[in-house]
Amino acid sequence: MPDLIITDAACTRCRECVATCPLRIIELPRGGLPPRFTEDGARRCIICGHCEAVCPTGAIAVDDPRLDPATYQLPNVTLRPEELGAYLRMRRSVRRFRPEPVPRESIVELLEVVRYAPTGSNRQGVKWLIIHDTAEVRRLTGMVVDWLRTQAGSGSPLDRHFNLAGMIRSWKKGNDPICRNAPHLVIAHSARQHPTAAVDAVIAVAHLDVLAPAHGIGTCWCGFFQMATEAWEPLQRALALPEGHRPDYALLLGYPAVSYRRPPKRNRLEIAWR
Ligand SMILES: Cc1cc2nc3c(=O)[nH]c(=O)nc-3n(C[C@H](O)[C@H](O)[C@H](O)COP(=O)(O)O)c2cc1C
């Protein structure tokens, strides 16, 4: 169970931790004593760390064996809204990759940041399977094509919406219309016990998708791979996810062989105000 570590001398009793805790499980006892968990607070704590994050004097910290003890030194940087807006507008799906691998450490560096994405009840249940071996990406892509063969000509919505026969022909010719010859494939997966598990994973993948270009790394959501992982047993067996885990989304990853010069146009914004 988590514990609250208080540096009594630093605590000004300002109540910021009490007011910010989303579960209201921190109290300031009478008699000028420092903050502490309410009676069942430790059991209910979701270890979101907001008490620690909000404390003006750094007097409170959450301790739990699940927490990575590494500390992050916040750099003194300010991102202007127009910089972030320009960055987000310039993020693009990359479908042309250079063949050289992205070092494992660079991918870990991205995922270290992605850990900060929100998750329902701060469950942090998103796990990652990284197919780093490019030959293995190709082998798995072949399995997606096997699944597409079962879909082509079936008249299913997928078959009607996409030119599956054309994709299969393209694969036969040595092209890769599924994984776009990406050197790596990142798969987020989770045990689906928690109601927000699948959404948590998609949010995490979105954070990865947004962060990667800042490191010179390109990504593309891989819907065909994802659909195949949900439907095609041979591919599920090949992924060998932990018992009870489901693939939540697949993202292609590699150094881009394309550079985008300007943002494309987007559909008109539609908003209803009430
Ligand atoms: C859930 C999802 C699945 C996608 N699946 C594929 C895919 O299978 N193949 C592909 O080339 N692009 C895929 N994309 C990329 C979209 O086509 C792309 O986001 C869209 O065309 C807009 O381009 P942009 O991301 O560069 O803004 C997918 C995107 C999302 C969000």
Side-chain angles (χ1 to χ4, degrees):
M1 267 201 294
D3 203 4
L4 287 182
I5 312 291
I6 311 288
T7 308
D8 196 1
C11 176
T12 63
R13 316 309 196 240
C14 70
R15 303 186 67 86
E16 280 293 300
C17 55
V18 175
T20 304
C21 173
L23 284 105
R24 314 295 266 171
I25 52 171
I26 300 176
E27 63 181 9
L28 260 184
R30 284 171 207 275
L33 290 171
R36 65 182 183 197
F37 274 132
T38 55
E39 202 181 323
D40 63 344
R43 189 183 55 77
R44 293 173 51 213
C45 177
I46 60 170
I47 321 173
C48 67
H50 281 213
C51 51
E52 188 172 328
V54 79
C55 179
T57 59
I60 187 168
V62 195
D63 189 32
D64 187 275
R66 284 166 285 187
L67 291 172
D68 180 348
T71 49
Y72 174 66
Q73 217 47 48
L74 193 66
N76 191 14
V77 288
T78 321
L79 200 54
R80 289 184 296 142
E82 59 270 31
E83 289 171 332
L84 187 56
Y87 176 80
L88 290 176
R89 283 169 200 256
M90 285 302 286
R91 179 218 56 83
R92 291 277 73 73
S93 296
V94 168
R95 301 185 182 88
R96 291 160 60 200
F97 293 95
R98 304 207 307 263
E100 67 262 31
V102 177
R104 287 179 180 213
E105 312 83 74
S106 303
I107 300 174
V108 171
E109 197 181 353
L110 298 175
L111 294 179
E112 297 264 11
V113 179
V114 170
R115 284 186 300 173
Y116 287 79
T119 55
S121 303
N122 195 34
R123 287 288 280 251
Q124 301 178 58
V126 186
K127 313 283 178 225
W128 303 95
L129 170 65
I130 300 171
I131 312 296
H132 196 255
D133 177 4
T134 304
E136 180 65 358
V137 176
R138 294 288 91 72
R139 188 179 81 88
L140 296 174
T141 310
M143 292 185 168
V144 178
V145 177
D146 290 342
W147 171 69
L148 285 185
R149 287 192 181 100
T150 69
Q151 298 297 305
S154 68
S156 69
L158 182 77
D159 188 34
R160 286 202 305 273
H161 195 75
F162 295 98
N163 178 8
L164 300 186
M167 290 172 81
I168 295 163
R169 273 197 305 277
S170 176
W171 173 259
K172 264 196 201 151
K173 282 187 202 155
N175 307 314
D176 181 358
I178 313 288
C179 287
R180 313 279 183 181
N181 290 309
H184 316 297
L185 187 62
V186 177
I187 297 161
H189 60 94
S190 59
R192 294 280 182 88
Q193 289 142 346
H194 194 257
T196 65
V199 174
D200 294 345
V202 170
I203 293 170
V205 175
H207 278 223
L208 176 59
D209 182 41
V210 165
L211 178 65
H215 292 246
I217 296 170
T219 53
C220 186
W221 295 71
C222 195
F224 282 100
F225 196 94
Q226 181 58 28
M227 285 185 275
T229 61
E230 287 168 16
W232 191 235
E233 223 190 300
L235 182 59
Q236 291 162 355
R237 278 201 303 275
L239 293 181
L241 296 179
E243 185 69 29
H245 274 230
R246 299 264 306 275
D248 291 310
Y249 229 90
L251 197 70
L252 308 176
L253 189 141
Y255 291 120
V258 54
S259 60
Y260 294 101
R261 316 282 172 182
R262 60 198 67 82
K265 290 195 175 61
R266 281 290 180 255
N267 290 357
R268 290 173 202 278
L269 192 57
E270 291 187 38
I271 308 177
W273 302 91
R274 297 265 157 84

